[in-house]
Amino acid sequence: MAPQRRAASKAPEGNGAAERRNRSSTKKDRAPREVQRLWQRPWLRTAGLGAGLVLTALLLWSSLGADDGVAEVLARRGEVVAGRFIEVPCSEDYDSHRRFEGCTPRKCGRGVTDVVITREEAERIRSIAEKGLSLGGSDGGASILDLHSGALSVGKHFVNLYRYFGDKIQNIFLEEDFRLYREVRQKVQLTIAEAFGISASSLHLTKPTFFSRINSTEARTAHDEYWHAHVDKVTYGSFDYTSLLYLSNYLEDFGGGRFVFMEEGANKTVEPRAGRVSFFTSGSENLHRVEKVHWGTRYAITIAFSCNPDHGIEDPAFP
C-alpha cells in the first residue's frame, strides 16, 4: 500500500495580505465606475456610437453579398458591350450524350453582348412577361412563365395557363407578342452560332425556355431556391448552349441578382442590363449560380438550345 502524503498546512494570513486583497478589490470596484464616467462624456459616447454604426454597416454590406467572393466583373451594368467572349476548356459532360458533329461543343466558353437586342425590344419582351405573370405568381421569390409548355407559377404550384385560363388568354396577349418573341429567339440563336463557329440551323430550341421574375420574398418551395450553383447540362440533359436575355437593370430595378460563373478562387460575374444577352456552353466548364435578389424585381428570359433535333421544340403560337 502506497504511503499517503499529508497536505501542507496553510499558513495563517497576516494583516499585510488582507490589506493587499482589500486594495485589489477596491480597484476592481473602481474600474466599472471609471468606464461608466468615460462613457458619459459626450464626445466619447458619440465616437463609440459612430464606430458601432460603421461596424453594423460593414456587416450588413457583407451579408447582402456586396462582393460575394466575385473576383472579376465580365460585364458591368453601366457599360455597353459590343461583344465579349472568353474561351474555356470543354468539360467531359458532352461525352455521355450523343454527339452531333458540327454542333456539339468542341469550342467552349462564355460571351456577353449588348448590341443584339435593343433596349426597346427588351422593354416589349418584358411586357409579355409582366402580362403573363400577372395571371399568377409564386408565393416565394421566383416565378416562372413558359409560353411553350404553358407552365405558370401560381402559389406553390404550376398550372397550364392555356388550359387554366382558356379563351381569356386572347385578352392578355397579342399576336404581335409571339412574333416579337420568335424574332428575339432567332437573333440570340444567330449570336450563339457565330460565337461558336457553328451553323444556326444545327441549333434547336429546347425546353425549358422560360421567363423568370425574381424578388426578395422568402422561398416557399424548392422551386423558389434559384441561387444554388448548378450545371445546365447536368440539370437539363438536352441543353448544349444556354443564353439569358436580361429585361431589367442591376442596381436600378433590383439589388443582388448578379449572374456568377463559379471558378476556384476567381468567380466572374455578369451584371444584368436590359437588352444584354449572356450566353455559354452548358457543361461543367460553366458552373454558375444567381445571387439572391435583395430588393426590387429582376426579369430575364432563359433561351436554351440543343444539338439533338429530338429535343427540339417549336416557337409558341398565339392561341
Side-chain angles (χ1 to χ4, degrees), residues 119-167:
R119 304 274 278 192
E120 179 188 0
E121 287 173 324
E123 289 177 5
R124 290 165 60 198
I125 284 286
R126 172 173 166 167
S127 73
I128 299 173
E130 291 173 332
K131 288 188 290 187
L133 287 164
S134 70
L135 299 172
S138 169
D139 287 344
S143 298
I144 298 299
L145 169 64
D146 183 339
L147 291 179
H148 301 266
S149 69
L152 172 69
S153 301
V154 177
K156 295 182 176 65
H157 308 284
F158 292 94
V159 301
N160 185 308
L161 69 94
Y162 299 120
R163 290 200 296 265
Y164 194 80
F165 295 99
D167 294 339

Side-chain angles (χ1 to χ4, degrees), residues 167-227:
D167 294 339
K168 293 180 181 179
I169 293 298
Q170 296 183 9
N171 299 323
I172 300 296
F173 299 114
L174 303 173
E175 191 169 355
E176 170 62 24
D177 293 336
F178 290 83
R179 183 162 53 249
L180 175 64
Y181 186 98
R182 182 172 61 252
E183 291 172 357
V184 166
R185 187 270 304 163
Q186 290 171 339
K187 289 183 178 182
V188 172
Q189 184 170 344
L190 285 171
T191 299
I192 292 174
E194 291 175 4
F196 290 98
I198 58 179
S199 170
S201 62
S202 68
L203 293 173
H204 304 276
L205 187 67
T206 193
K207 61 181 180 181
T209 285
F210 58 92
F211 289 104
S212 60
R213 182 185 69 192
I214 304 175
N215 57 38
S216 60
T217 304
E218 184 180 353
R220 296 289 187 268
T221 71
H223 296 293
D224 297 320
E225 297 182 10
Y226 56 85
W227 54 82

